[in-house]
Amino acid sequence: MDLTEIRAEGNASTLTEFILLGFSDLPNLQGFLFGMFSVVYLIILIGNGFIIVITRLDPALQKPMYFFLANFSSLEICYVSVTLPRILFNIGTQNRSISKLACATQTCFFLILGATECFLLAVMSYDRYVAICNPLHYPLVMNPIKCNQLAAGSWLGGMPFQLGQTCQIFSLHFCSSNQINHFFCDLPPILKLACGDTFINELSVYLVTILIATVPFMLILASYSKIIATILRLPTATGRAKAFSTCSSHLLVVFLFFGSATLTYFRPKSAHSPGTDKLLSLFYTIVTPMFNPLIYSLRNKDVIDALRKLLLRK
């Protein structure tokens, strides 16, 4: 369909749909992009699905660390499923329109799952802190009830904030255009379409980001500062290497996710450019979930052994 703009005439609340421009500026690469994103989606589903299966089936992986890893893999499947199927639909049909309600729904789920990832990464760092810094108390502190409570809190903790933020953003008037220069409905490109002064809305985004992203990140840094100090005091090099190997995968995922997400949400509206926003968003919405199973499996001997046993059994 034609990429038309909706100009404001009186009350801009009459807008009922947006146009996701996505990768329409690459007309000769549409087939390649569809194939590439299809393969990436399959890799994410299969890779994270394998981790969920082996952590459920292998008795050696019935530990809090792998319970949270299974939750994290489930989250990654949900997280990427909010954006990638829509990308594939838009490229495959060349129909880039999305209703305002569908756009708001996508934004809401994307923000809620993003908050869940922040909280879950913080919980995983706390698990490693207790395991390394207080190993004698680990079975008592990280008991099944506590693990379930922490997981439930991670999944549900960001919901009230992100529901409120979504309602606030989509109650704005959009008067200059209905074209979102992005491949999914995200806050920065949507705020660019809003009429008038959006300073309060930008401030709200920053405050929620600080609460949901910065606070967990600071807790992760505090946990790992104590973890590293404890590891350095271990008497043998083998013990230090083994302890650090259980944390290095998680640290790598933390910096990949928080680094790219922070660059997206902490910049002012005037500093956003469509190309940079798309690149950063691709990184933390698609690239990171694709590499997470590899990071956790290739750097974890227990996961490799469990995967080998599962494949040999088949």
Side-chain angles (χ1 to χ4, degrees):
M1 67 178 288
D2 294 333
L3 301 180
T4 58
E5 292 188 352
I6 296 179
R7 300 296 180 182
E9 294 182 5
N11 192 341
S13 63
T14 55
L15 185 147
T16 59
E17 70 173 25
F18 293 101
I19 305 295
L20 286 169
L21 296 183
F23 304 97
S24 59
D25 55 339
L26 302 170
N28 298 326
L29 295 178
Q30 297 299 294
F32 169 76
L33 289 172
F34 185 84
M36 182 186 70
F37 285 127
S38 298
V39 171
V40 167
Y41 193 34
L42 283 174
I43 290 172
I44 292 171
L45 294 178
I46 294 170
N48 286 286
F50 257 125
I51 288 183
I52 295 169
V53 170
I54 61 178
T55 53
R56 297 292 183 187
L57 296 182
D58 195 290
L61 301 184
Q62 304 305 305
K63 303 173 184 176
M65 175 181 175
Y66 299 107
F67 168 78
F68 292 122
L69 180 56
N71 269 268
F72 189 70
S73 292
S74 302
L75 170 65
E76 294 292 61
I77 290 174
C78 296
Y79 190 54
V80 80
S81 295
V82 172
T83 56
L84 253 180
R86 186 77 204 192
I87 295 172
L88 293 172
F89 173 81
N90 290 348
I91 296 175
T93 64
Q94 292 299 299
N95 178 4
R96 304 181 188 281
S97 64
I98 182 171
S99 70
K100 188 177 180 181
L101 178 60
C103 190
T105 302
Q106 184 185 55
T107 302
C108 186
F109 276 102
F110 179 77
L111 294 176
I112 289 172
L113 293 172
T116 300
E117 184 147 354
C118 294
F119 294 148
L120 197 53
L121 287 171
V123 167
M124 292 168 77
S125 71
Y126 174 70
D127 171 72
R128 292 298 84 209
Y129 161 74
V130 178
I132 293 173
C133 299
N134 297 288
L136 296 179
H137 296 95
Y138 183 66
L140 181 64
V141 174
M142 301 304 291
N143 59 71
I145 294 176
K146 181 71 169 289
C147 289
N148 284 318
Q149 289 173 341
L150 289 171
S154 298
W155 282 92
L156 302 175
M159 195 174 291
F161 302 100
Q162 303 298 25
L163 278 171
Q165 184 156 259
T166 302
C167 292
Q168 180 192 50
I169 297 299
F170 281 88
S171 64
L172 295 172
H173 295 324
F174 302 95
C175 56
S176 60
S177 172
N178 71 332
Q179 296 183 6
I180 300 175
N181 198 351
H182 211 356
F183 54 85
F184 71 99
C185 294
D186 198 9
L187 291 184
I190 291 171
L191 273 174
K192 275 193 165 186
L193 304 182
C195 304
D197 185 9
T198 58
F199 173 76
I200 298 299
N201 303 99
E202 290 183 64
L203 181 62
S204 171
V205 172
Y206 292 147
L207 292 176
V208 172
T209 303
I210 289 172
L211 179 64
I212 286 178
T214 307
V215 172
F217 184 67
M218 297 305 293
L219 292 174
I220 291 170
L221 290 182
S223 296
Y224 273 101
S225 65
K226 293 184 176 295
I227 288 171
I228 292 171
T230 301
I231 290 174
L232 293 176
R233 288 198 298 268
L234 293 177
T236 64
T238 304
R240 289 193 294 270
K242 183 177 180 181
F244 188 73
S245 69
T246 65
C247 303
S248 56
S249 300
H250 180 250
L251 263 179
L252 182 57
V253 171
V254 165
F255 284 110
L256 285 174
F257 175 77
F258 279 101
S260 54
T262 299
L263 287 174
T264 298
Y265 289 98
F266 271 119
R267 289 180 300 152
K269 185 172 73 170
S270 58
H272 285 272
S273 67
T276 304
D277 286 349
K278 288 179 188 178
L279 182 62
L280 289 171
S281 297
L282 275 174
F283 201 81
Y284 68 82
T285 60
I286 296 174
V287 176
T288 302
M290 181 176 66
F291 282 109
N292 282 350
L294 292 175
I295 292 171
Y296 277 109
S297 60
L298 294 179
R299 300 180 64 86
N300 190 302
K301 185 177 180 297
D302 291 339
V303 173
I304 293 174
D305 290 342
L307 184 58
R308 185 182 295 116
K309 285 190 289 184
L310 180 65
L311 294 175
L312 288 176
R313 187 188 309 168
K314 296 295 182 183

